[in-house]
């Protein structure tokens, strides 16, 4: 369907969902690496996060687009040769298509500008330590920080990490591109090795583009992944610097790679990728992770889906509106519900602390579709049952739908 230059919000939604892969057919049989690559070619990267109350964040975008798939396929793509992905700071900590590595060398070369405080400072304050850590990786790698940090004291002024100086040095080397993650331990710790021993030779030998050429390529990839977007979300996708982004955007507009459009109710310039498509309908029925590229930029999520969404992990329990780890449920081209979920691996149960209906959704249809999706998700996670929801305005209908469906999980 041709894309007009004046769009309704519903049309912008369908363009976005198609660009993000939600209009693609799910595999009819066994899922393999070809299916993963299809999704990754659309998204370009997936965000990582250590929270494992349900499933680690980077596994979920593939599930949302493919349905249940063998999770070890992603580990193979990221951590076994020939690698399709590499870890780096793309949109936060990310797994990025490996052929894009040259486009991030400007960031690697500018640790002092783009890394955060402790990483920026360590090369000035303790250069000998950084050199020693690099030698240890060269001589003994792959290795984790724990294998070489010994009794180095940890600072206690960071609420989250409490990293040792050895870990900070390793993260400096990681940010600079000297080392990379060869894999992850069962506790999700990075195992580091020299980048030259990890990435494919063809990637290592690829020329380093001028930073402005890299910015232009990354903005084009952002626009392709979003379909239609305002400027803040185009820049946010790869967390690009303002000046480089602005110039790249202007060049892409001039070359008609990005086309000007209007979206009803949106302020400021809006850009359509010239290859974006507008499907007549989206037939999705899937849960979406809080870290999914579809909803990274929360203001965009509100404009597109009329849903105010915030992750409440760091909110004190009494102040949470919806729950600890809440996933929106995409039904058709709208978010119809949101559910707080927890995988209790000891009991083999998918727990639902809360379930909430969105204002425009049909309660009966949503409860039935969500019950089927929760059973699919539980089966994918290796859980044997789905518990009834404990609270929320969708709890009763969802409990009834779960009770009416087969007892087993998909």
């Amino acid at each position: 369907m041709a894309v007009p230059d004046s769009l309704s919000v519903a049309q912008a939604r369908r363009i976005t969902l198609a660009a993000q892969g939600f209009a693609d057919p799910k595999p009819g049989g066994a899922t393999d690496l070809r299916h993963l690559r299809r999704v990754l070619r659309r998204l370009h990267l997936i965000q990582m996060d250590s929270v494992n109350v349900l499933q680690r964040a980077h596994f979920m975008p593939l599930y949302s687009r493919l349905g249940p798939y063998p999770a070890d396929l992603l580990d193979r793509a990221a951590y076994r040769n020939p690698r399709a992905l590499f870890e780096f700071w793309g949109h936060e900590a990310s797994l990025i298509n490996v052929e894009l590595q040259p486009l991030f060398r400007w960031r690697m070369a500018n640790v002092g500008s783009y890394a955060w405080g402790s990483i920026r400072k360590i090369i000035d304050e303790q250069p000998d330590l950084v050199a020693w850590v690099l030698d240890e990786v060269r001589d003994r790698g792959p290795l984790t920080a724990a294998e070489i940090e010994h009794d180095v004291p940890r600072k206690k002024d960071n609420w989250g990490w409490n990293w040792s100086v050895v870990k900070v040095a390793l993260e400096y080397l990681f940010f600079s591109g000297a080392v990379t993650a060869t894999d992850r331990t069962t506790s999700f710790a990075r195992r580091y090795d020299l980048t030259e021993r990890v990435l494919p030779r063809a990637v290592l030998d690829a020329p380093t583009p001028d930073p402005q050429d890299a910015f232009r390529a990354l903005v084009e990839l952002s626009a392709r992944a979003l379909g239609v977007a305002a400027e803040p979300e185009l820049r946010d996708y790869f967390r690009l610097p303002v000046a480089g982004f602005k110039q790249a955007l202007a060049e892409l507009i001039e070359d008609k790679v990005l086309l000007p459009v209007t979206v009803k109710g949106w302020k400021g310039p809006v850009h359509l990728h010239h290859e974006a498509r507008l499907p007549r309908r989206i037939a999705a029925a899937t849960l979406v992770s809080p870290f999914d590229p579809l909803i990274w930029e929360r203001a965009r999520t509100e404009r597109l889906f009329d849903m105010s969404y915030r992750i409440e992990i760091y909110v004190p329990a009494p102040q949470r509106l919806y729950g600890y780890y809440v996933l929106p449920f995409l039904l058709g081209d709208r978010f119809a519900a949101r559910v707080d979920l927890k995988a209790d691996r000891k009991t083999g149960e998918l727990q639902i602390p809360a379930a909430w209906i969105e204002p425009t959704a049909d309660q009966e249809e949503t409860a039935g579709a969500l019950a089927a999706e929760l059973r699919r998700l539980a089966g994918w996670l290796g859980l044997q049952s789905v518990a009834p929801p404990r609270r929320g305005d969708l709890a009763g209908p969802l409990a009834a739908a779960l009770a009416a469906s087969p007892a087993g999980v998909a």
Side-chain angles (χ1 to χ4, degrees), residues 53-372:
V53 66
L54 180 70
Q55 171 63 293
R56 297 209 190 275
H58 50 293
F59 291 98
M60 286 299 299
L62 293 160
Y63 170 84
S64 297
R65 291 156 178 81
L66 297 173
Y69 72 98
D72 67 341
L73 284 180
L74 181 56
D75 285 329
R76 283 174 54 191
Y79 302 123
R80 296 184 204 169
N81 295 329
R83 294 167 192 256
L85 301 165
F86 78 108
E87 283 195 36
F88 193 59
W89 295 99
H91 180 98
E92 300 292 341
S94 303
L95 284 168
I96 306 171
N97 288 344
V98 72
E99 66 271 14
L100 302 184
Q101 192 264 0
L103 299 181
F104 291 91
R105 291 176 189 166
W106 59 271
R107 185 169 280 162
M108 298 173 186
N110 290 279
V111 182
S113 298
Y114 298 111
W116 53 94
S118 58
I119 292 179
R120 289 200 306 268
K121 293 189 294 185
I122 195 167
I123 192 65
D124 296 325
E125 296 177 353
Q126 301 187 65
D128 291 343
L129 173 68
V130 175
W132 175 80
V133 169
L134 182 58
D135 286 341
E136 288 291 289
V137 175
R138 182 178 292 111
D139 296 342
R140 298 173 52 191
L143 49 76
T144 64
E147 291 177 74
I148 57 172
E149 60 191 2
H150 311 304
D151 297 323
V152 176
R154 295 171 181 264
K155 293 184 178 181
K156 298 296 184 181
D157 56 357
N158 186 295
W159 67 267
W161 299 316
N162 293 330
W163 283 353
S164 71
V165 291
V166 168
K167 173 63 174 174
V168 174
L170 278 166
E171 286 299 304
Y172 171 86
L173 293 166
F174 176 82
F175 204 109
S176 71
V179 306
T180 192
T182 186
D183 62 1
R184 292 269 183 162
T185 68
T186 54
S187 61
F188 204 57
R190 278 193 185 113
R191 186 177 281 113
Y192 303 86
D193 203 355
L194 298 181
T195 299
E196 64 200 55
R197 295 200 294 234
V198 175
L199 297 190
R201 191 75 252 165
V203 172
L204 295 169
D205 291 344
T208 299
D210 178 83
Q212 194 55 48
D213 291 336
F215 297 150
R216 178 187 167 106
L218 291 170
V219 175
E220 192 274 334
L221 291 173
S222 303
R224 188 180 291 274
L226 295 171
V228 60
E231 292 183 13
E233 51 252 28
L234 285 173
R235 180 176 167 238
D236 178 72
Y237 205 84
F238 291 109
R239 301 289 169 86
L240 298 176
V242 174
F245 166 76
K246 288 287 190 182
Q247 182 178 334
L249 182 66
E251 292 171 0
L252 291 167
I253 293 170
E254 183 178 358
D255 291 346
K256 294 184 170 49
V257 175
L258 300 184
L259 306 176
V261 293
T262 60
V263 178
K264 186 176 181 180
W266 289 23
K267 298 178 181 178
V270 181
H271 307 283
L272 177 80
H273 191 277
H274 73 287
E275 293 181 355
R277 63 190 183 96
L278 172 58
R280 295 187 182 278
R281 62 187 295 268
I282 300 288
T286 189
L287 287 158
V288 174
S289 160
F291 301 98
D292 194 288
L294 179 65
I295 56 172
W296 273 343
E297 220 284 334
R298 305 308 196 201
R300 171 183 172 84
T301 301
E302 193 159 354
R303 294 197 316 272
L304 276 173
F305 297 99
D306 195 25
M307 183 183 74
S308 177
Y309 178 75
R310 303 290 185 273
I311 189 167
E312 298 182 274
I313 289 174
Y314 307 117
V315 176
Q319 299 174 27
R320 290 178 193 139
L321 296 176
Y322 298 102
Y324 179 78
Y325 199 77
V326 176
L327 285 75
F329 176 54
L330 182 66
L331 185 60
D333 68 351
R334 299 295 299 266
F335 286 117
R338 56 184 98 194
V339 282
D340 187 16
L341 296 177
K342 178 181 180 181
D344 189 328
R345 296 172 179 88
K346 289 184 179 179
T347 63
E349 183 178 71
L350 179 61
Q351 298 180 351
I352 312 172
W356 309 89
I357 190 82
E358 289 299 298
T360 60
D362 178 89
Q363 190 176 85
E364 184 177 355
E365 178 189 16
T366 299
L370 180 54

